[in-house]
Amino acid sequence: MSWPKITEDDLRSSINGAEDDAIRTAALANGQEDPYLAVKRQVTDLFRNAIRSGPGNHLDPDKETLPASAIFHAVAKIRYRLLTRFCSELLDDDRRAENKEADVWLKEVRRGFEKIEQPGDEPSAGNVPSITLISNNERQATRQNLSGL
């Protein structure tokens, strides 16, 4: 399968308005550009390195992509890093728990216990299982062809 990139919608779906305002206000006060871009790149690299180290895994050539199963955890890591950097007072137990779950997921990937969909695993015409239909005339049960059952 082709791997997607983390989108702005992925990030927006995980960060509430108060968190977003606090992160962007703090970043702009420090004279930085959009902090999401740098952190997204760092977290994507972290996840790709974990996937690379897992036995039997292969990476999509596009360095900005992750398997769909990784997006939820990667977004949790991005959010956690942004909150701890710019507005740690907004961190709550749920955000901490999701970050820990992402850490556990990464560890499982590295150890090969979490199976990763490999890029290009889409079935090709040669890999699709075929079904052979047998007509009723070819499938008559007799004592001779059922002997030994």
Side-chain angles (χ1 to χ4, degrees):
M1 304 206 103
S2 61
W3 289 2
K5 296 178 182 180
I6 298 172
T7 65
E8 191 74 25
D9 287 341
D10 293 326
L11 294 171
R12 280 193 191 119
S13 71
S14 74
I15 295 180
N16 65 42
E19 292 168 338
D20 187 48
D21 289 344
I23 290 166
R24 290 188 193 276
T25 301
L28 293 175
N30 292 335
Q32 295 183 356
E33 294 182 26
D34 187 352
Y36 289 92
L37 297 177
V39 175
K40 179 175 88 167
R41 188 174 48 253
Q42 294 165 357
V43 169
T44 299
D45 289 346
L46 172 73
F47 275 69
R48 288 177 63 87
N49 286 333
I51 292 166
R52 180 185 296 112
S53 66
N57 288 335
H58 303 283
L59 293 176
D60 187 89
D62 186 338
K63 294 180 181 180
E64 295 182 18
T65 63
L66 291 173
S69 60
I71 299 292
F72 174 81
H73 297 294
V75 168
K77 281 301 253 189
I78 292 168
R79 181 186 55 224
Y80 185 81
R81 285 187 176 192
L82 290 168
L83 289 175
T84 56
R85 181 173 174 189
F86 294 110
C87 47
S88 58
E89 68 278 1
L90 294 178
L91 273 176
D92 61 19
D93 290 339
D94 291 336
R95 299 301 195 215
R96 287 182 184 94
E98 286 178 348
N99 182 63
K100 274 191 171 179
E101 288 174 26
D103 287 337
V104 169
W105 190 87
L106 283 168
K107 187 181 290 185
E108 296 295 300
V109 167
R110 285 184 191 104
R111 295 172 67 196
F113 296 147
E114 180 68 38
K115 294 298 175 198
I116 299 297
E117 65 188 54
Q118 301 301 300
D121 273 355
E122 296 170 294
S124 65
N127 292 342
V128 177
S130 62
I131 299 173
T132 305
L133 298 176
I134 300 173
S135 71
N136 283 337
N137 295 341
E138 297 172 357
R139 220 181 357 150
Q140 292 180 356
T142 65
R143 288 182 194 251
Q144 291 173 345
N145 65 11
L146 294 178
S147 66
L149 292 179

